[in-house]
Amino acid sequence: MALCKGKTIYHTLLGIYKQHISTSYFSTNKVLSNMYKDRVPSVQSIEELNALCIDDKPVEKKIRIPAKSEFSSAVTYDPIVQKFINILMRDGKKEKTREIIEQVLENIKMKQIENYHKATTDAEKAMVVTDPLKVFHGAVENCKPLLILKTIVKGGSGYRVPVYCHERRRLRVGINFIIKTCDTRKRKVPLSTVLATEILQAYNNEGNAVGKKHQLHKECEAQRAFAHYRWK
């Protein structure tokens, strides 16, 4: 009884509503025509799909390159710091190595802020770089060698020949100079403190890591007589 009463009320209200609004409003023809009025026809052939390409290169011949795993979209990501972490890491303990590098950057920041407040004039304060990443990049750049020695065998004898060092190799050798300098020290302080001190010295073109680079350049200069073996 209640259901029949509900249906009666519904049809009554619907009849009143249709008296004030035209019947064509309830037709689906108007809605469907508006929906499909500006519809773009689908692509039916590969020629039409190639015509839509912006660079005029066929779709079948496009090379799909996967994203490199060492790249990241994080704001704090830095490729040189990541390279330093990978070289410094031992036994796969990357999380511990990352904590050491974070402490190194913090120590550099504290030391530079201390030097900034010790400066008496505005000119001296302007010379102090308080960004630890800039200091880190500058230190690694100062440790990069231009030439390295490569052993080449000629006539049964080995010769140490100076050769040009490409950018990736230069970066690795410069980082190794800093790390090996800190490893050879008999330290009773944490590694983060020793690394921070060495990086600050290398940023100022001082310290043992920069000395290793100069020593390598002197050895290359001494072996310049065998440089022609590089192309033979």
Side-chain angles (χ1 to χ4, degrees):
M1 182 66 184
L3 183 61
C4 294
K5 187 176 180 180
K7 283 186 176 181
T8 305
I9 295 173
Y10 170 75
H11 288 296
T12 303
L13 293 176
L14 186 60
I16 296 172
Y17 193 68
K18 286 184 177 181
Q19 290 178 0
H20 300 280
I21 299 177
S22 61
T23 311
S24 61
Y25 180 82
F26 297 95
S27 176
T28 58
N29 295 330
K30 182 184 294 185
V31 179
L32 293 177
S33 62
N34 292 334
M35 184 183 300
Y36 297 106
K37 180 177 64 175
D38 300 329
R39 183 182 178 187
V40 178
S42 60
V43 178
Q44 302 295 332
S45 63
I46 189 66
E47 289 77 11
E48 296 178 5
L49 186 61
N50 290 333
L52 296 176
C53 296
I54 301 176
D55 53 357
D56 296 332
K57 193 173 184 180
V59 178
E60 295 178 351
K61 296 184 180 180
K62 281 193 174 181
I63 302 174
R64 294 172 175 84
I65 303 175
K68 295 185 179 180
S69 59
E70 64 267 19
F71 291 161
S72 173
S73 60
V75 179
T76 57
Y77 176 79
D78 188 271
I80 298 180
V81 174
Q82 189 66 29
K83 185 76 171 179
F84 197 97
I85 291 173
N86 292 338
I87 296 175
L88 181 63
M89 180 178 59
R90 296 291 182 272
D91 300 329
K93 299 179 181 179
K94 195 165 189 176
E95 190 63 31
K96 183 178 180 180
T97 309
R98 189 179 290 112
E99 292 176 0
I100 293 174
I101 296 302
E102 289 176 357
Q103 187 63 41
V104 167
L105 296 177
E106 184 178 347
N107 292 344
I108 292 173
K109 179 77 172 180
M110 293 173 62
K111 185 64 178 178
Q112 291 296 93
I113 289 177
E114 182 181 349
N115 293 337
Y116 179 83
H117 290 295
K118 284 183 179 179
T120 55
T121 62
D122 294 338
E124 293 178 356
K125 289 183 178 181
M127 295 294 293
V128 178
V129 179
T130 56
D131 187 358
L133 283 178
K134 289 184 179 180
V135 175
F136 184 85
H137 290 174
V140 173
E141 188 66 31
N142 290 338
C143 293
K144 289 181 181 179
L146 295 175
L147 299 172
I148 58 173
L149 290 173
K150 182 179 180 181
T151 302
I152 295 179
V153 179
K154 282 289 182 181
S157 301
Y159 299 94
R160 302 189 70 192
V161 179
V163 297
Y164 175 75
C165 190
H166 56 82
E167 184 60 31
R168 291 183 62 184
R169 180 64 177 166
R170 289 179 62 210
L171 176 61
R172 187 174 187 86
V173 172
I175 292 175
N176 277 327
F177 283 161
I178 297 175
I179 293 176
K180 289 181 179 179
T181 301
C182 298
D183 285 343
T184 55
R185 289 184 178 181
K186 295 180 180 179
R187 59 176 186 273
K188 295 182 180 180
V189 294
L191 177 61
S192 58
T193 305
V194 179
L195 273 174
T197 304
E198 188 63 37
I199 288 172
L200 284 171
Q201 290 179 352
Y203 178 73
N204 297 320
N205 267 322
E206 301 172 353
N208 296 330
V210 178
K212 285 179 178 290
K213 182 190 76 169
H214 293 325
Q215 183 64 28
L216 178 59
H217 286 170
K218 288 181 181 179
E219 292 177 3
C220 292
E221 181 71 18
Q223 301 292 333
R224 67 184 183 275
F226 305 112
H228 61 283
Y229 286 151
R230 174 66 180 85
W231 295 276
K232 292 183 180 181

